Amino acid sequence: MTLPPESLGSLREILAHYCGILLDDSRLTHLQTAVERRALALKRLPDQYLADLLTNRDRTELQFLAEPFLNHETIFFRNRPHMEALRKTLLPTLHATLPPGVPIKIWSAGCATGEEPYSIAITALETLGEPLPRPVEILATDLSATAIEKARAGVYRGRTLTNLTPLQRLRFFTPVGNALTIHERVRQLVTFMQHNLLDPFPPAVRGTHILFCQNVTIYFSLDTCRTLMARFYDILADGGTLCLGFSETLWNIFDRLRPVSVDGAFLYRKDPPRQRMVALSVPKPSRPTLHPTRPTRRRPTSPPASSDPLFTDETVVVEGRRMIESGQIEAALELFAHAPLAGRYAPAVLALTAQAHANRGELDLALAEARRALELNPLVTEAHILLGLIYERQQQFTLAIRHLERARYLNSDSPLVAFHLAECYRQTDRVADAIREYRNAEHLLHSLPPDHLIEGVAVYWLAESCRRWIRRFEGER
């Protein structure tokens, strides 16, 4: 049974209002599958279940439907720059400046299966020493009840342990079969709680000194992100720090948190009241009186945004693109992790980050990053190309064509865009359009060496594929 698209669209909006996650058109089929599975579990007809849900908006049922779309992909010490800033500066500074006995309050919002808050706890023990010289209170919250249950269990194996040093494994974990269990003295620093970030915050988070919220807001709409940031701002202590994922940015989204660079990490800080008042009260320079007999001198212009150390530089775009094209995906992601995601080049870096994550198979994250890049700048060609290729792979050809046509408009000289646009036209029986784009792709490929690789495929193979489809279509006419 195919559920009405308009009803699924309405449910998508209700889910976004419930938990912030905004599903694009390509995920509507997955949403239908989630509805059908839940209806089957309740022994109900899917259309009746959906109709009741649209009317009643039962939060328990919305939680069940949201669960499959929550991203729990994480590892210990995932964001190294932030952890280095925590170890070198954030924790030592708080310990040195807070009154004796006052706890350091840290919130891991969107903690998934617990690797992040446990990494924070390990860093606190390594930095401040054992026993801790003052309390460290780490609250870890996540929308997913399943993820919170796994986090409380604290049993880990496989890839998630990759970044741990041998000493950390020995010191903070207990071997159990082929897995490692988090040690009790690490566990006791962390309090886990299921929580929806769009609901009122727990009272315990007021006065938070350090707030980690990584790879969460990238899945939200810009309006939801702005609202959440304002609420984060209100509960942060004066001087408190917000740590977002390196592909998340507040540039042109929320400006009350000041971007800062700490030990190579790009963070956001809530200035104390005095600093905020000083910033607001700086007088504007008065307009100079021009001397009637002297020529007017043009005032020096401000340096371009890229020269600001807290703004992304064009070299990051150039070097990151080179790394991705040569297959150095991890090196590219390491470069992007240390780049401040702000300024005119930020959307391009975000699109390249999405491409790197797509190459690693992290398609949900790549889609969210590419969409955010276009929200910040709808003219980022790489983002349109990436979305087109992902949607083509998912056989969402209408969506793929939409983005590939925009990419062709922005860059008419790309044989890759022309070829994949032709493929999508062919899949949707738009024969005349497919022939035109195959011819266009063949023409653009003609200027390249036959053994040159485009996305890992030789030019001569792509050109021959174009000619083959043109002959086939023209022979059928």
Side-chain angles (χ1 to χ4, degrees):
M1 176 186 295
T2 300
L3 298 173
E6 60 274 13
S7 296
L8 289 172
S10 298
L11 179 58
R12 170 177 60 184
E13 297 303 318
I14 292 173
L15 273 177
H17 182 75
Y18 167 68
C19 64
I21 296 177
L22 184 62
L23 305 176
D24 70 1
D25 290 345
S26 71
R27 307 295 295 277
L28 289 181
T29 54
H30 297 90
L31 183 57
Q32 172 165 323
T33 300
V35 168
E36 291 171 345
R37 287 177 177 173
R38 183 59 181 163
L40 180 62
L42 296 175
K43 298 181 179 179
R44 300 190 59 191
L45 293 175
D47 58 340
Q48 294 176 351
Y49 169 77
L50 177 57
D52 287 346
L53 188 57
L54 293 178
T55 302
N56 301 326
R57 304 192 179 195
D58 186 291
R59 289 175 63 87
T60 301
E61 293 306 314
L62 290 174
Q63 177 67 33
F64 274 109
L65 292 179
E67 192 79 35
F69 299 101
L70 303 179
N71 181 16
H72 305 318
E73 175 66 25
T74 186
I75 61 177
F76 280 92
F77 296 94
R78 179 175 186 172
N79 196 325
R80 289 184 180 275
H82 284 177
M83 287 298 168
E84 282 297 293
L86 185 69
R87 178 178 65 84
K88 292 180 179 179
T89 299
L90 300 181
L91 286 173
T93 300
L94 285 168
H95 178 50
T97 56
L98 288 176
V102 172
I104 296 174
K105 298 181 64 173
I106 303 174
W107 182 14
S108 172
C111 68
T113 47
E115 287 89 337
E116 178 178 271
Y118 285 139
S119 296
I120 295 169
I122 290 171
T123 302
L125 293 171
E126 291 177 326
T127 301
L128 302 179
E130 298 186 68
L132 287 171
R134 71 165 64 242
V136 175
E137 299 175 356
I138 304 169
L139 177 65
T141 65
D142 198 272
L143 175 63
S144 171
T146 303
I148 289 293
E149 183 179 348
K150 291 181 179 179
R152 287 193 177 117
V155 180
Y156 300 96
R157 56 176 57 83
R159 176 180 173 271
T160 191
L161 304 169
T162 303
N163 289 337
L164 293 172
T165 67
L167 182 58
Q168 287 171 333
R169 291 170 180 251
L170 181 64
R171 215 180 136 185
F172 301 111
F173 294 83
T174 301
V176 179
N178 65 344
L180 294 179
T181 300
I182 201 77
H183 197 280
E184 182 60 32
R185 71 186 195 284
V186 179
R187 192 191 303 265
Q188 67 184 2
L189 299 183
V190 185
T191 300
F192 289 100
M193 176 189 302
Q194 183 186 7
H195 176 257
N196 184 341
L197 284 175
L198 271 58
D199 287 342
F201 291 160
V205 303
R206 183 155 295 280
T208 293
H209 298 111
I210 306 171
L211 200 170
F212 282 81
C213 186
Q214 302 193 329
N215 293 340
V216 176
T217 65
I218 195 71
Y219 299 100
F220 292 177
S221 70
L222 286 180
D223 286 342
T224 302
C225 182
R226 288 189 183 99
T227 301
L228 181 63
M229 290 305 126
R231 297 171 65 216
F232 279 165
Y233 180 90
D234 289 340
I235 60 91
L236 276 171
D238 289 332
T241 302
L242 171 64
C243 305
L244 295 176
F246 72 82
S247 62
E248 296 171 298
T249 178
L250 299 187
W251 177 68
N252 280 357
I253 297 174
F254 186 83
D255 61 3
R256 295 175 68 191
L257 290 163
R258 181 169 58 90
V260 293
S261 179
V262 180
D263 300 310
F266 187 57
L267 313 174
Y268 294 90
R269 181 157 294 160
K270 178 179 178 178
D271 284 332
R274 181 176 300 177
Q275 292 185 24
R276 293 200 293 271
M277 290 177 63
V278 169
L280 291 172
S281 63
V282 173
K284 294 183 179 179
S286 59
R287 186 172 182 177
T289 302
L290 302 180
H291 194 284
T293 59
R294 294 180 183 174
T296 302
R297 291 187 179 181
R298 178 171 295 184
R299 296 171 123 191
T301 57
S302 300
S306 60
S307 67
D308 189 321
L310 291 178
F311 278 57
T312 304
D313 192 89
E314 184 180 12
T315 56
V316 177
V317 178
V318 175
E319 182 64 11
R321 184 180 290 118
R322 183 196 65 77
M323 288 178 173
I324 292 174
E325 290 175 352
S326 62
Q328 299 173 278
I329 303 303
E330 299 304 320
L333 289 173
E334 184 70 15
L335 172 67
F336 300 148
H338 288 85
L341 200 59
R344 59 181 292 198
Y345 296 108
V349 170
L350 192 49
L352 289 171
T353 304
Q355 185 176 343
H357 282 135
N359 288 352
R360 284 210 314 194
E362 299 173 302
L363 294 186
D364 286 348
L365 180 57
L367 284 168
E369 290 167 337
R371 288 195 297 268
R372 182 55 50 86
L374 292 176
E375 287 173 329
L376 296 174
N377 181 358
L379 303 181
V380 180
T381 308
E382 291 92 344
H384 284 299
I385 294 174
L386 179 62
L387 288 171
L389 295 181
I390 292 177
Y391 290 145
E392 180 190 6
R393 186 187 309 178
Q394 296 176 341
Q395 297 186 340
Q396 301 275 349
F397 297 115
T398 300
L399 290 173
I401 288 170
R402 181 191 306 170
H403 285 283
L404 290 171
E405 285 181 341
R406 291 175 184 173
R408 182 187 57 183
Y409 173 79
L410 295 169
N411 181 6
S412 60
D413 296 329
S414 170
L416 179 70
V417 171
F419 178 80
H420 284 282
L421 194 50
E423 292 282 278
C424 291
Y425 286 148
R426 176 172 63 82
Q427 293 289 348
T428 53
D429 296 324
R430 294 172 58 175
V431 174
D433 292 330
I435 292 175
R436 184 191 69 242
E437 289 305 321
Y438 279 130
R439 290 191 185 281
N440 186 29
E442 183 186 16
H443 172 73
L444 293 170
L445 290 167
H446 184 71
S447 62
L448 298 174
D451 57 351
H452 177 75
L453 297 181
I454 299 178
E455 295 291 310
V457 181
V459 162
Y460 71 85
W461 188 92
L462 287 174
E464 178 55 32
S465 181
C466 292
R467 289 189 288 268
R468 185 171 64 250
W469 279 112
I470 292 171
R471 288 194 300 269
R472 177 172 175 177
F473 282 134
E474 291 184 338
E476 292 175 351
R477 290 186 168 185

